[in-house]
Amino acid sequence: MNIDNKNTEEAEEDKNYTDAYFESGHILLKIWQTIILILGWIAFFKPIVITGSTYLAYLTNGKHGHYFWYYSEGFDMINLTIILLIFALAMIVVFCISISYVQYQRAKGLVTKWPMYDISDNKKKRQRAEEFMTKRFGPAEMRQNVRYYEVQPEQNLDKSTFKDVINGKDDEQ
């Protein structure tokens, strides 16, 4: 492909990301962003600490932790949340163990390995794609062994052209 150097430089600039926080200088920016960062973390952890401390006080009858609120509905909600999380964890553990067992059985050859796709349909799709590429860009040997290949503007593909060819919706010119 023949690409203009100017376009290459513009494309490289689009891929680069700079952050003035990590450059030397910019002390006010660093102070401002650090303050915002600290306030964000406080806003994140404050409800967790309040709820955890209150629930700990509830569980230990006030010996540990601190009561920030006394609503029985809140404690019931925390208990329900804990039960739901334990149930979800148990379901994940059962799923992971069962899938691991099935994969172990397949790897050992104790279970038949069924194909995960339609083999004949896949073969047809690969054949359609190869025919399209041969018609558009030349035979496979030439495409795979050439060092430099310049694509003509009329050979460029639209976004969905290749997908349409593979799926059999060949509306090619």
Side-chain angles (χ1 to χ4, degrees), residues 54-114:
T54 302
Y55 191 66
L56 182 63
Y58 168 73
L59 291 177
T60 61
N61 293 325
K63 292 180 184 171
H64 302 288
H66 178 73
Y67 281 104
F68 287 92
W69 42 267
Y70 296 94
Y71 305 111
S72 63
E73 297 88 5
F75 299 122
D76 292 341
M77 188 61 66
I78 293 173
N79 289 333
L80 177 64
T81 303
I82 291 171
I83 290 169
L84 289 175
L85 288 174
I86 290 171
F87 177 74
L89 179 66
M91 294 301 292
I92 291 169
V93 166
V94 167
F95 176 77
C96 289
I97 290 173
S98 62
I99 292 300
S100 297
Y101 180 73
V102 168
Q103 290 299 330
Y104 174 76
Q105 294 293 325
R106 284 184 59 162
K108 290 291 185 183
L110 302 174
V111 177
T112 58
K113 297 178 182 176
W114 60 93

Side-chain angles (χ1 to χ4, degrees), residues 130 134 138-145:
E130 185 57 41
T134 301
E141 298 81 26
M142 190 274 302
R143 292 192 319 260
Q144 294 168 0
N145 296 323

